[in-house]
Amino acid sequence: MTQVQRKAALVTGASDSRDIGTAICRQLASQGFDVFFTHWKADQKWIGILQRELEGSGVRCEGVEMDLSEADAAVQLLNTAQSSIGIPVVLVNNAAHSVRDGYENLDATILDEHYQVNMRTTFLLSVEFARRLKEAGMQGGRIINLTSGQDLGPMPGELAYAATKGAITAFMKTLSAELAHEDITVNAVNPGPTDSTWMDEGIREHLLPKFPMGRIGQPTDAAKLIGFLASEEAGWITGQVIHSEGGFLRG
């Protein structure tokens, strides 16, 4: 990655100590990135603790509560991040909206709520991020999206979620071709079932036998892979969905 005075990363969706977004922030900070992250309805005391923790590793860190369903969220977010830590060279689209639906419940409201966060803001953040890098004459950017393995098998009861996450993959593949000549890579990571805020003991007991490695995926597993994709060493990888699931067995 082209060296700049300070490397800055923007991560969406770090709202809890156990979530993947928080693990990503920690990983990127350990690699020397200044970190700007979004959170939503998080404990403000904990947000302050996280910021101080990351600053303790010698980087700058700021977080902002932002509703990513708003139509102008992408521009607002990049403006705020840029004024705080400079132009990001890494964008991690981690935040997602997810509610259970199924064909009997799916309606326009559910579809729109998923679309606004999972597609519209993710897409607009990606292109605005790339435009700002180009305008600044900066190369070597990284766009990393989180997906959910929706192309590997059905996700009953999650029609809107699976569809909008699938759209991220389609968008990513074409955007990667458009940005390749700008030396900006665009990839996606499917971390598989991860023991974060959505799991309880019953879910863990159900899923554990499906992991041949004998454990359930942890947020740090996804964060380490994302840290690699954000690095100079990953500069030849673009347009890919990387399934990092620990051999998870479906069915």
Side-chain angles (χ1 to χ4, degrees):
M1 186 180 298
T2 303
Q3 293 297 310
V4 294
Q5 187 173 4
R6 296 187 70 100
K7 301 182 295 183
L10 171 57
V11 181
T12 64
S15 300
D16 188 278
S17 61
R18 299 173 296 156
D19 65 27
I20 292 176
T22 299
I24 295 167
C25 291
R26 288 173 171 149
Q27 178 66 39
L28 294 176
S30 75
Q31 295 175 212
F33 286 94
D34 293 333
V35 175
F36 191 94
F37 65 94
T38 73
H39 55 88
W40 183 241
K41 298 181 178 179
D43 181 278
Q44 293 300 313
K45 182 177 180 181
W46 175 78
I47 292 297
I49 291 171
L50 177 62
Q51 288 181 230
R52 291 190 293 274
E53 174 193 334
L54 299 190
E55 289 168 348
S57 60
V59 302
R60 295 177 294 177
C61 177
E62 292 289 342
V64 63
E65 181 172 87
M66 182 161 289
D67 183 356
L68 297 179
S69 69
E70 296 293 333
D72 62 348
V75 171
Q76 282 193 36
L77 178 53
L78 282 165
N79 285 344
T80 306
Q82 189 170 329
S83 65
S84 175
I85 62 171
I87 299 174
V89 295
V90 171
L91 169 64
V92 183
N93 287 306
N94 168 71
H97 178 79
S98 176
V99 297
R100 301 287 294 180
D101 50 43
Y103 81 94
E104 292 181 314
N105 299 313
L106 186 65
D107 59 19
T109 298
I110 292 173
L111 276 173
D112 287 347
E113 289 173 349
H114 282 79
Y115 157 77
Q116 290 161 3
V117 176
N118 299 349
M119 292 172 60
R120 184 175 67 194
T121 294
T122 294
F123 296 173
L124 294 180
L125 268 175
S126 298
V127 297
E128 182 66 16
F129 166 87
R131 288 193 288 252
R132 294 187 186 208
L133 279 182
K134 182 177 182 179
E135 290 168 2
M138 299 166 65
Q139 291 188 313
R142 305 282 188 263
I143 300 173
I144 305 162
N145 303 306
L146 272 289
T147 59
S148 296
Q150 66 287 330
D151 57 326
L152 300 179
M155 300 175 69
E158 297 184 85
L159 288 168
Y161 180 75
T164 52
K165 281 292 187 175
I168 291 175
T169 299
F171 180 83
M172 175 273 296
K173 289 182 178 294
T174 295
L175 184 62
S176 69
E178 290 195 9
L179 296 182
H181 70 285
E182 301 288 351
D183 196 25
I184 298 173
T185 65
V186 191
N187 293 290
V189 170
N190 162 33
T194 300
D195 193 354
S196 58
T197 54
W198 64 280
M199 278 197 189
D200 57 28
E201 198 55 40
I203 294 173
R204 292 186 190 97
E205 291 179 2
H206 172 72
L207 290 177
L208 183 58
K210 299 176 181 289
F211 284 93
M213 289 190 175
R215 68 172 180 86
I216 295 174
Q218 298 298 310
T220 51
D221 295 316
K224 289 174 184 177
L225 175 55
I226 289 165
F228 168 69
L229 290 174
S231 71
E232 293 182 12
E233 286 77 11
W236 197 237
I237 302 171
T238 195
Q240 304 302 307
V241 179
I242 301 176
H243 299 290
S244 178
E245 300 186 316
F248 179 66
L249 303 172
R250 284 174 168 74

